[in-house]
Amino acid sequence: MEVFVLGSGVGIPNLNRHYPGLFVESEGRSFLIDPGPGSLRQLLKLGFTYNDVDSVILTHFHPDHCLDFVSFLFACRYPLVPREKGVLVVGPAGLKDFYGGLKSVFGTTVIPERFELTLKEVENSSIAIDKTELKIEPSAHTGNSISIRFKSASGKVLCYSGDTEYCANIVELAQGADLLILECSFPDGAEVKGHLTPSHAGRIAREAGAKKLVLVHLYPMCEDQGILSQCKKEFIGNTEIASDLMKVTI
Ligand SMILES: [Zn+2]
Ligand SMILES: [Zn+2]
């Protein structure tokens, strides 16, 4: 399984950290996860195009996690490279209403012409997408937000928190993960409800027995705050602060 960080930042424009987004290739299928603004252009920098996306996963509907879904649908209508391959979109309760809202705002520009768009709302679910199993649990963020565990046919496990605060669900989903990607919005001492701090992230990684922890979704105030050492007080395992376009193979 190959995991690419499209952006390690948040919804605040930042020259050093792009808006959120992940791209995952597992068992010959690709997943575009939480495509924040500009994610499709970040994909190009990695050598992929929007046409390489098989599935889109939205963990919640905050703009920093989903605005490029609109760009994706619009690009797929480009008449010189029209998309014909279907797209599966997975998201929490409210996904269908969200897409209905997009249609009422953007009209035909977000309605596929030649391919099938399948919307799947999930909560406390396990689903198989080809040879990759997804386990989904609600995260503690908006009331309809999710965290996800991916397991490949070869048994490799990726867990991604989306946005969340510390909760039992993320600890459960992260059990034994080869790669655990957690949001880490604010430094210790500046905790904000609905988000993690470095020590919260470290605690989750320790309780889950994760093999590798990567921190994403860093607000600008995280810089120069020693968040890695704050995290390591709770988790002594392999930990990295994400950088844009980084790739992790598990
Ligand atoms: Zn966010
Ligand atoms: Zn959010």
Side-chain angles (χ1 to χ4, degrees), residues 210-213 232 235-239:
K211 298 187 180 78
K212 181 179 175 68
L213 171 63
K232 281 183 178 293
F235 180 61
I236 56 169
N238 185 355
T239 306

Side-chain angles (χ1 to χ4, degrees), residues 32-40 50 53 55-58 60-61 63-76 87-90 95-96 98-100 102-103 106 109-112 115 117-119:
L32 177 64
I33 305 166
D34 280 357
S39 289
L40 300 185
Y50 64 94
V53 173
S55 302
V56 177
I57 299 180
L58 306 178
H60 63 296
F61 308 116
D64 53 327
H65 295 254
C66 63
L67 278 187
D68 247 19
F69 179 52
V70 174
S71 315
F72 172 76
L73 293 170
F74 188 45
C76 287
V87 178
L88 172 65
V89 184
V90 176
L95 176 65
K96 289 174 183 170
F98 169 74
Y99 181 58
L102 293 181
K103 283 194 289 189
F106 295 105
T109 60
V110 294
I111 297 173
F115 68 93
L117 188 70
T118 306
L119 304 177

Side-chain angles (χ1 to χ4, degrees), residues 24-204:
V24 174
E25 289 197 309
S26 173
E27 307 292 352
R29 184 159 185 124
S30 69
F31 300 85
L32 177 64
I33 305 166
D34 280 357
S39 289
L40 300 185
R41 193 161 180 276
Q42 293 294 89
L43 264 187
L44 290 178
K45 294 178 187 171
L46 290 166
F48 301 103
T49 80
Y50 64 94
N51 267 322
D52 294 318
V53 173
D54 296 317
S55 302
V56 177
I57 299 180
L58 306 178
T59 62
H60 63 296
F61 308 116
H62 281 163
D64 53 327
H65 295 254
C66 63
L67 278 187
D68 247 19
F69 179 52
V70 174
S71 315
F72 172 76
L73 293 170
F74 188 45
C76 287
R77 290 172 54 91
Y78 180 43
L80 295 185
V81 195
R83 184 177 179 117
E84 298 188 342
K85 188 170 58 169
V87 178
L88 172 65
V89 184
V90 176
L95 176 65
K96 289 174 183 170
D97 285 347
F98 169 74
Y99 181 58
L102 293 181
K103 283 194 289 189
S104 70
V105 171
F106 295 105
T108 56
T109 60
V110 294
I111 297 173
E113 279 185 315
R114 299 205 205 174
F115 68 93
E116 195 176 346
L117 188 70
T118 306
L119 304 177
K120 189 166 182 60
E121 295 189 357
V122 291
E123 198 178 19
N124 301 103
S125 320
S126 291
I127 57 172
I129 300 180
D130 289 346
K131 292 178 188 163
T132 303
E133 288 173 24
L134 275 63
K135 189 169 190 308
I136 294 117
E137 297 278 354
S139 71
H141 185 55
T142 61
N144 62 338
S145 52
I146 53 174
S147 302
I148 307 166
R149 177 186 178 95
F150 298 78
K151 188 175 182 187
S152 69
S154 57
K156 295 294 181 187
V157 171
L158 160 70
C159 178
Y160 169 54
S161 63
D163 286 1
T164 191
E165 61 186 47
Y166 177 88
C167 64
N169 283 350
I170 185 64
V171 175
E172 183 201 323
L173 286 177
Q175 285 300 313
D178 296 283
L179 175 60
L180 173 59
I181 299 182
L182 292 178
E183 73 123 292
C184 181
S185 292
F186 300 101
D188 285 2
E191 182 177 344
V192 171
K193 194 162 172 46
H195 290 290
L196 297 175
T197 61
S199 60
H200 292 149
R203 179 182 171 194
I204 292 165

Side-chain angles (χ1 to χ4, degrees), residues 7-20 60 62-65 141-142 162-164 182-188 190-198 215-227 230 241-242 244:
S8 56
V10 291
I12 310 298
N14 182 324
L15 288 175
N16 299 317
R17 296 196 181 278
H18 200 270
Y19 295 96
H60 63 296
H62 281 163
D64 53 327
H65 295 254
H141 185 55
T142 61
D163 286 1
T164 191
L182 292 178
E183 73 123 292
C184 181
S185 292
F186 300 101
D188 285 2
E191 182 177 344
V192 171
K193 194 162 172 46
H195 290 290
L196 297 175
T197 61
L215 303 176
V216 296
H217 201 271
L218 305 162
Y219 270 84
M221 70 180 297
C222 285
E223 308 299 338
D224 306 320
Q225 293 290 318
I227 63 169
Q230 291 173 3
I241 298 172
D244 293 356

